[in-house]
Amino acid sequence: MLTLFHHPMFASCRFVRLAFGEYGEELALIEEKPWTRRKEFLALNPAGSLPILLAEGDVPIVGASVIAEYLDETRGVLKRERRLFAEDPMERAEIRRLTDWYLTKTESEVTRHLVRERVLKPMMPESAGGGSPDSAAIRAARANVRQHLKYTNWLAGTRPWLAGNKVTYADLAAAAALSVLDYLGEVDWRENHAAREWYTRVKSRPSFRPLLADRVRGLTPVSHYADLDF
């Protein structure tokens, strides 16, 4: 069994878990607090970032997109219609674009800030950047949530799935990011019906079940978080 160093509230880590789940691959999970900068952890990745996959022979593969490419090359190419990439190079480009949108742009404008201020800071020592939440950072991130949700709503309303006609890495990246925000009660689904319908379909997939069971100590998820009909 492969091992994933992760944090349950990092969208990039959720993305990797969803991808392996779609292929029916089990992962041994090790929850890592990267701000502690454990010596053993830094030996795997000197950058001190997550996720890290210990692949065959315990070789570390670092970063969500790198892990996704590895997964496609070692498992995905054998899955045919269940492959999370497309055969056509232009379709693959669109999948990569949207995956980057949610794991990089949404992360940098929204998810990273809300997770840091609302989830991580209360459990981090002051020496590692812990302390009181930055209300200005939270306000800015909340303003950005609306734009990302509108874009997701447009994608979901114009395509069967976000990148085309089937589930791909793009859907998993978007679902990973939005599931973190949904846990925190930061998503207003009321005016984004297409996005809500799409998220309900993704949320109902077997690969999503472990994420719905995630809990963070001292932070209860919004009431509908694990409800498949919300």
Side-chain angles (χ1 to χ4, degrees), residues 115-125 130-131 133:
V115 170
R116 179 177 177 82
E117 301 303 325
R118 294 193 54 195
V119 181
L120 302 185
K121 271 190 173 182
M123 65 178 68
M124 294 166 62

Side-chain angles (χ1 to χ4, degrees), residues 100-188:
D100 183 72
W101 179 285
Y102 288 101
L103 295 186
T104 302
K105 184 174 175 63
T106 306
E107 176 74 9
S108 64
E109 295 180 359
V110 180
T111 322
R112 175 189 303 163
H113 304 290
L114 290 174
V115 170
R116 179 177 177 82
E117 301 303 325
R118 294 193 54 195
V119 181
L120 302 185
K121 271 190 173 182
M123 65 178 68
M124 294 166 62
E126 289 189 11
S127 59
S132 300
D134 182 338
S135 58
I138 292 175
R139 283 196 301 272
R142 283 175 172 166
N144 289 333
V145 169
R146 293 191 289 271
Q147 299 307 315
H148 285 273
L149 191 57
K150 284 182 180 178
Y151 184 50
T152 305
N153 195 63
W154 179 82
L155 290 170
T158 56
R159 305 169 176 181
W161 295 93
L162 297 192
N165 292 321
K166 67 173 188 174
V167 173
T168 67
Y169 281 133
D171 297 283
L172 304 189
L178 289 174
S179 68
V180 171
L181 299 176
D182 195 46
Y183 184 105
L184 298 174
E186 298 286 356
V187 182
D188 185 353

